[in-house]
Amino acid sequence: MNSSLRFPKGLYGITPEWSDFDRLLDAVQQACKAGLPVLQWRRKNTPFELACVQAAQVAQYCKEYGTLFVINDDWRLALEVQADAVHLGRDDGDIQSIKNTLAEKQHSLLIGMSCYNQLPLAKQAIELDIDYFAFGAVFPSSVKPDAVHAPLNLFSDAQTLFTQTPRQTMVAIGGITLDNAPAVIAAGADSIAVISGLFEQADVYNTCKAFNQLFKA
């Protein structure tokens, strides 16, 4: 992890909503083998009991290959499968209350927050002392076609909000591909969250390698 950031820099893979779990496991393994820094479990239609079983298998791959594992929306599931982090949106509960509950349970999770296209939410994320925040969609997204548009200048604007080191990591999400990712990185995003641009490609392993290379250029 970059010592000046609270959450890993680079590619941030997010699981697609495939019904074929074996296919998903294979794709996740390919990405982890290729050096994927972060993977998020995002399968909103999976019942909790099944998610506990499936996400635990994915967590094992992540642990084996050194990939940080994030659960979307559900801090209880994150604790259940011993994930490293949880990502929370505006409908996932009060973040300060969740932090208090985790402290009471003596559990530590890195926390990420969706800020959509709103700089004030990024300011709030910093005040809440969480670990990363995400702006998006930076480009039209096939996964969330109704998502608000987040202009790339948000990343430079957010730079003025940081008050301490290590600072929060800034994540970009929405329609990111190998072709447009360099512009997002140049705009100041520390991390790029990708679903289709990684997992819907014919060669997940080499696509992941290519994304990783963008952060070394």
Side-chain angles (χ1 to χ4, degrees):
M1 192 184 300
N2 187 312
S3 61
S4 66
L5 298 175
R6 294 175 57 155
F7 187 84
K9 184 182 180 78
L11 181 60
Y12 182 145
I14 300 181
T15 57
E17 288 276 4
W18 296 339
S19 57
D20 186 340
F21 182 64
D22 288 338
R23 178 189 174 204
L24 178 67
L25 265 186
D26 180 67
V28 164
Q29 186 177 31
Q30 292 306 310
C32 289
K33 274 185 179 177
L36 180 66
V38 179
L39 177 72
Q40 182 189 117
W41 172 270
R42 181 186 183 275
R43 290 170 68 78
K44 293 177 177 288
N45 300 321
T46 305
F48 184 81
E49 293 75 13
L50 181 58
C52 287
V53 175
Q54 293 183 343
Q57 293 181 62
V58 173
Q60 274 303 116
Y61 277 147
C62 290
K63 186 177 289 187
E64 183 179 343
Y65 293 104
T67 299
L68 189 142
F69 188 43
V70 184
I71 296 291
N72 186 58
D73 293 347
D74 192 339
W75 62 267
R76 294 175 181 85
L77 177 60
L79 294 186
E80 186 70 28
V81 301
Q82 299 182 335
D84 303 295
V86 64
H87 181 90
L88 301 170
R90 62 180 136 215
D91 301 321
D92 298 326
D94 178 73
I95 290 182
Q96 188 58 58
S97 297
I98 291 170
K99 287 185 68 174
N100 294 343
T101 301
L102 290 171
E104 288 166 12
K105 292 177 174 289
Q106 297 185 316
H107 281 290
S108 176
L109 285 174
L110 295 173
I111 296 177
M113 175 176 159
S114 293
C115 292
Y116 310 99
N117 60 354
Q118 299 176 41
L119 200 62
L121 284 180
K123 186 172 188 293
Q124 181 186 350
I126 293 168
E127 290 168 353
L128 283 167
D129 195 36
I130 62 159
D131 301 289
Y132 77 86
F133 56 83
F135 287 125
V138 292
F139 301 112
S141 166
S142 59
V143 175
K144 297 181 77 172
D146 299 326
V148 295
H149 171 62
L152 292 179
N153 65 277
L154 282 167
F155 294 97
S156 57
D157 292 348
Q159 290 277 6
T160 64
L161 302 175
F162 294 118
T163 58
Q164 56 182 307
T165 301
R167 65 167 174 81
Q168 284 77 12
T169 300
M170 296 188 292
V171 180
I173 188 169
I176 298 173
T177 66
L178 278 171
D179 291 333
N180 61 30
V184 184
I185 297 167
D190 306 301
S191 170
I192 51 174
V194 181
I195 305 176
S196 303
L198 175 62
F199 288 111
E200 295 289 354
Q201 306 311 302
D203 187 338
V204 172
Y205 180 89
N206 281 307
T207 300
C208 183
K209 286 278 191 187
F211 270 116
N212 287 342
Q213 198 60 39
L214 295 177
F215 286 89
K216 297 172 183 173

